[in-house]
Amino acid sequence: MRKSLIYLAIVIGILFLSLCLEAEAEDRRFFAGAGLSYAVEDFDDGDLKKLAGSDSIDNAWGFNLFAGYWWHKHFAVEGNFNWYDDFEAKVDAVNFDIRIWTLMLDLKVISPSLWEDRLFPYLRIGAGWMETEVDLSGNSSDDGDFAYNVGLGFDVFVKDRISIGLDGKRVWGTGDVSEFNHFVATLRVGYHF
């Protein structure tokens, strides 16, 4: 919990300082898009082992929806929704599935363009909500709690208003979802209004 509060204080500090900066006139301020994700589980699976008798859990594909506002040339705020298909485990006749979705609000710190005002690397940090459902032989258990994430990525403008990008982040759950940490890589396509 202490680590979560430190990350939250950093995000609030960066937001406060960046709001004091004068925003420069830019095109492409609002943006939205979608992406294909691959989630690699890094679950603290001690309790899951007790349920299923194994720590063999498959990774999962999913999708990402995002929208945001680029309010300064080096800062943007982005809301994103991630949904993952079942993380599956199979042990003899026992199967269980884990379904996860997250809703996050991230601050993106954007590097100056690295190539002809088209390639923009960034760092992201944010927090939000994680919801999980564990389904073991028809018995399911739902939990939800606060989660946070940190990641890196880049966007490349292939047209004036269309970008493609690659984004990677580490997601940590807290409280009731603290066992469901994971890494996510997302191939994204965005439109900048």
Side-chain angles (χ1 to χ4, degrees), residues 7-21 71 74-76 107-109 123 125:
Y7 286 130
L8 186 59
I10 291 170
V11 169
I12 291 171
I14 291 172
L15 282 171
F16 178 76
L17 291 174
S18 63
L19 288 174
C20 296
L21 299 173
W71 86 80
H74 297 298
F75 298 100
L107 172 67
K108 291 172 67 175
V109 180
L123 165 73
I125 183 169

